[in-house]
Amino acid sequence: SCCSTIYELDQEVGRRLAHGEQPDITEKDLTLVQAGRRVSGWNRKRCENCGYETEEDFEYCPKCGTKL
Ligand SMILES: [Zn+2]
């Protein structure tokens, strides 16, 4: 849910899940179906001083110069 990537679960593992078991799901049980896109805003920085928001990797606020 965090990266919007969709995996297909191994059939056998899926069957055990459906029966109420809690099998260990490892990487080899997963087949990539759709690569997720980066969720916008996850790395957004906000200046505490003036409230300026940016997704750039600024170290200092371009508006007021406060360290982000
Ligand atoms: Zn600022």
Side-chain angles (χ1 to χ4, degrees), residues 47 50 61 64:
C47 175
C50 69
C61 174
C64 69

Side-chain angles (χ1 to χ4, degrees), residues 47-52 61-66 68:
C47 175
E48 284 179 27
N49 186 50
C50 69
Y52 182 85
C61 174
K63 256 187 118 177
C64 69
T66 303
L68 297 175

Side-chain angles (χ1 to χ4, degrees), residues 41-54:
W42 74 277
N43 64 342
R44 180 170 294 178
K45 289 180 172 182
R46 187 172 183 277
C47 175
E48 284 179 27
N49 186 50
C50 69
Y52 182 85
E53 285 188 37
T54 179

